[in-house]
Amino acid sequence: MKQRERVTRAGPVIRCDPASLPDIAATWITGAIDVVTRLQGRCTIALAGGATPRPIYERMATAPLAGRVAWDRVAVYFGDERRVPPDHPDSNYRMAYESLLRHVAIPIASVHRIEGERADPDAAARDYERLLPASLDVLLLGMGADGHTASLFPHSPALAEGTRRVLPVDRPAPSPGRITISPRVIELAHTILVVVAGAEKAAAVARALEGPYAPDALPVQLALRGTWLIDEDAARDLRGIVP
């Protein structure tokens, strides 16, 4: 598949108050899914983990937004997962299931979780890679205060991966290791939404959107071409890119 041209300038940036972010994000995501399913019959989406998406998923699961989506024509994937069982409190799958997936009419066979609990994380990553479509229709990403996205952390060897699409990554103890999509998956995704909330992320947001392109230090810049939805707390250090 032909690679996309690398984009080193920011895409659309939406700035909002913290209280409205979940509604805006949920409306954006369900709208994107609806457009894709109407155009091509099915939609593939990869969900993000962490604290920020939970209220977004809860909004997506409630009327009227849930009714906008033909859930029987949606295939759900995940951008990353911790190496824990699916019922573990830290599991991204568990969070998405509790807040969204169990509340909508999506066939269980259409939900493709990363098997983070497996003893061989490399084998789990390779098996998940075989499940992923060649390119995702919609990719939802978050950002950590250090500028990481999915489980692509600053200066990680995973950032140099040019062939594999899913791979295991280590984290310092006591944090469990993780399995993550690679930069190639972000590069090939058709539509990306980056959602960032919280004052602790303001410095990284400003560096990512207004600083030089340096994805080895700020992996979230791999998704610069996407739409960025940022709450006022996370946007407070921006100077010129958003009015």
Side-chain angles (χ1 to χ4, degrees):
M1 178 176 291
K2 183 179 178 181
Q3 291 187 332
R4 293 183 183 274
E5 180 182 356
R6 177 168 290 176
V7 176
T8 59
R9 61 185 182 278
V13 177
I14 303 168
R15 186 168 173 167
C16 65
D17 67 87
S20 66
L21 184 143
D23 287 324
I24 294 173
T27 300
W28 191 100
I29 297 164
T30 53
I33 295 172
D34 181 53
V35 167
V36 174
T37 52
R38 288 178 184 275
L39 288 175
Q40 61 188 38
R42 290 192 62 79
C43 177
T44 59
I45 180 171
L47 301 180
T52 301
R54 179 181 283 274
I56 297 171
Y57 298 159
E58 290 171 347
R59 301 295 199 283
M60 290 173 63
T62 58
L65 292 181
R68 297 179 65 187
V69 176
W71 292 103
D72 60 334
R73 292 191 280 161
V74 177
V76 171
Y77 299 85
F78 291 83
D80 68 330
E81 184 58 274
R82 294 173 177 85
R83 289 176 53 189
V84 296
D87 59 352
H88 192 280
D90 291 336
S91 166
N92 288 339
Y93 167 79
R94 175 178 171 172
M95 184 274 288
Y97 178 78
E98 290 179 344
S99 58
L100 171 62
L101 299 174
R102 72 175 178 181
H103 302 290
V104 296
I106 185 169
I108 191 62
S110 297
V111 178
H112 307 285
R113 73 175 184 87
I114 300 172
E115 296 179 334
E117 74 277 18
R118 286 173 58 177
D120 186 341
D122 188 69
R126 291 185 183 278
D127 286 346
Y128 201 69
E129 184 173 79
R130 284 188 280 270
L131 287 176
L132 276 180
S135 57
L136 290 160
D137 295 313
V138 182
L139 174 59
L140 178 61
L141 294 170
M143 188 198 79
D146 60 356
H148 84 265
T149 193
S151 284
L152 296 168
F153 292 89
H155 309 295
S156 168
L159 294 168
E161 177 58 53
T163 303
R164 294 185 61 175
R165 297 186 300 142
V166 184
L167 63 162
V169 293
D170 293 324
R171 296 291 295 146
S175 176
R178 304 187 185 191
I179 297 173
T180 184
I181 57 172
S182 73
R184 182 166 176 77
V185 176
I186 299 174
E187 178 185 326
L188 294 176
H190 291 287
T191 302
I192 300 172
L193 179 67
V194 182
V195 182
V196 190
E200 73 280 5
K201 301 176 184 178
V205 165
R207 290 170 58 208
L209 294 178
E210 299 181 332
Y213 185 71
D216 188 58
L218 288 165
V220 73
Q221 287 186 321
L222 295 166
L224 268 182
R225 65 182 174 86
T227 297
W228 287 60
L229 176 59
I230 312 168
D231 76 3
E232 292 287 358
D233 293 333
R236 68 182 186 184
D237 289 350
L238 291 173
R239 292 295 177 261
I241 196 165
V242 183

